[in-house]
């Protein structure tokens, strides 16, 4: 008994010492990571983790329900699609055709009203907010310097960095996207309780505006600019300019770094597949929502047009692909969250889930993107068996991330 007592005393001393060291070396954010992620058996952020963080509400207005297509759910998912849903643990899959829900399926206890983490799909929403702020004259243009808002970025290479560079991922910031490393800057940003301090401590190490490099820190800094320019919390601005006028069915939640802090704007809006799809419809119709112009067509087209010839996969906050002879653009988030828009055919495809397909160095578009598009087109009779890239055998364990 005495041995056990001494053991627990020493164990408490060791743990206390470790915690003190974490504060000394400024990695105390790991305590939050361990509590919210690792103790739950997860290795990275997950769909329902918003319940373990403070949130700010993106308030809805008068709901505008999606109409159901006359052929709603009359066609079953293909075998290939169902196998992919099972392998990658899909929770929601929607096909919206001619602005009506044509197909809808849910899994793992999720339904049309279930909240799920957007992850980086939020970047597309932040860029929409940027262009809205420009239209309102609160930000001069894409060429306005970030240093005008934050003097920390007004010298050296940083003085060249514009808000457009942040939106198009050409910031030159010191950042890495190692989601599974507990010591990466993106992990610190996710769990730190002073995100503004983290972002303002970044350095510009490459000349801005020259090339595409995907950095979540760029979107976070952009959101801080928008907040300062508009004088509103980002959640309130998005609610006023988009969420309410688009008739979202539910309030959404935007994760905060601290109960009185700022939105983790590069990620982390908790909402549902139907409401996320509204941003797809808005951009499909060049900023027009049921007769009301929420964003100019010029700005929407700017968002979904590549900035750099060498990086045709990205515009301003949106991913872009030319596939099946059609221009497609989409919102994309960690673990395979998608809102895919095909304006030529008036189609929107939404997928939310726990795992993502394989991402290679040779293709900026993960292999599950092709499956979700190909199988939707087969279900609608717009693609024949053997066509497309999603026709091979089911995804292997190695292809599921």
């Amino acid at each position: 008994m005495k041995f056990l007592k001494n053991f627990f005393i020493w164990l408490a001393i060791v743990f206390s010492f470790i915690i003190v060291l974490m504060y000394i070396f400024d990695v105390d954010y790991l305590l939050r990571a361990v509590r919210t992620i690792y103790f739950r058996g997860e290795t990275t952020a997950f769909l329902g983790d918003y319940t373990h963080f403070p949130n700010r509400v993106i308030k809805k207005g008068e709901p505008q329900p999606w109409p159901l297509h006359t052929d709603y759910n009359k066609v079953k998912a293909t075998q290939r699609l169902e196998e992919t849903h099972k392998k990658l643990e899909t929770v929601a899959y929607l096909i919206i055709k001619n602005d009506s829900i044509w197909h809808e399926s849910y899994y793992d206890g999720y339904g049309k009203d279930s909240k799920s983490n957007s992850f980086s799909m939020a970047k597309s929403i932040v860029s929409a907010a940027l262009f809205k702020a420009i239209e309102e004259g609160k930000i001069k243009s894409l060429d306005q310097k970030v240093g005008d808002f934050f003097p920390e970025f007004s010298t050296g290479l940083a003085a060249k960095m514009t808000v457009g560079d942040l939106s198009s991922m050409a910031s030159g910031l010191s950042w890495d996207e190692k989601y599974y490393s507990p010591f990466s800057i993106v992990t610190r940003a996710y769990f730190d309780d002073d995100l503004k301090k983290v972002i303002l401590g970044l350095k510009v190490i490459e000349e801005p505006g020259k090339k595409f490099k995907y950095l979540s820190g760029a979107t976070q800094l952009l959101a801080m600019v928008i907040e300062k320019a508009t004088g509103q919390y980002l959640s309130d601005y998005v609610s006023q300019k988009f969420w309410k006028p688009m008739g979202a069915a539910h309030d959404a939640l935007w994760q905060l770094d601290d109960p009185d802090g700022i939105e983790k704007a590069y990620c982390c809006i908790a909402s549902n597949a139907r409401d996320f799809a509204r941003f797809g419809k808005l951009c499909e119709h060049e900023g027009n929502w049921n007769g009301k112009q929420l964003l100019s067509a010029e700005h929407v087209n700017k968002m979904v047009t590549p900035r750099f010839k060498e990086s045709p996969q990205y515009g301003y906050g949106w991913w872009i692909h030319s596939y099946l002879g059609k221009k497609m653009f989409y919102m994309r988030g960690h673990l395979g969250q998608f809102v895919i828009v095909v304006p030529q055919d008036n189609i929107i495809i939404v997928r939310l889930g726990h795992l993502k397909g394989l991402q290679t160095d040779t293709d900026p578009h993960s292999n599950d993107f092709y499956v979700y598009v190909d199988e939707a087109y087969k279900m609608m009779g717009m693609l024949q068996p053997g066509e497309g890239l999603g026709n091979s055998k089911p995804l292997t364990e190695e292809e599921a991330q």
Side-chain angles (χ1 to χ4, degrees), residues 50-67:
Y50 66 92
T51 59
H52 305 292
F53 291 92
N55 293 273
R56 188 166 285 129
V57 177
I58 304 173
K59 296 178 182 178
K60 68 179 179 67
E62 185 66 30
Q64 300 174 33
W66 282 99

Side-chain angles (χ1 to χ4, degrees), residues 288-393:
N288 189 286
W289 185 269
N290 297 339
K292 184 176 181 180
Q293 202 72 33
L294 302 185
L295 270 181
S296 74
E298 177 186 359
H299 283 160
V300 171
N301 288 325
K302 187 77 171 179
M303 285 196 294
V304 300
T305 300
R307 179 181 180 185
F308 300 105
K309 182 179 179 181
E310 301 79 12
S311 303
Q313 73 271 22
Y314 205 79
Y316 288 82
W318 287 75
W319 293 88
I320 304 163
H321 201 0
S322 293
Y323 180 57
L324 301 178
K326 311 170 193 291
K327 178 178 180 178
M328 304 181 183
F329 50 85
Y330 62 99
M331 305 163 67
R332 184 172 91 180
H334 180 49
L335 303 179
Q337 319 314 311
F338 291 99
V339 174
I340 303 166
V341 184
V342 192
Q344 181 177 331
D345 296 325
N346 202 1
I347 289 170
I348 301 167
I349 301 165
V350 183
R351 185 272 180 183
L352 309 176
H354 294 289
L355 294 173
K356 170 188 173 181
L358 181 66
Q359 185 79 60
T360 67
D361 292 333
T362 57
D363 189 348
H365 312 282
S366 56
N367 64 355
D368 50 339
F369 165 86
Y370 300 103
V371 178
Y372 301 137
V373 172
D374 285 357
E375 303 312 304
Y377 270 73
K378 289 175 189 174
M379 290 168 64
M380 292 182 286
M382 301 170 70
L383 193 66
Q384 299 303 312
E387 294 181 323
L389 298 179
N391 298 290
S392 58
K393 60 186 178 181

Side-chain angles (χ1 to χ4, degrees), residues 12 126 194 242:
V126 174
D194 192 350
F242 300 107

Side-chain angles (χ1 to χ4, degrees), residues 390-401:
N391 298 290
S392 58
K393 60 186 178 181
L395 298 177
T396 64
E397 295 292 342
E398 291 73 21
E399 290 178 303
Q401 299 179 343

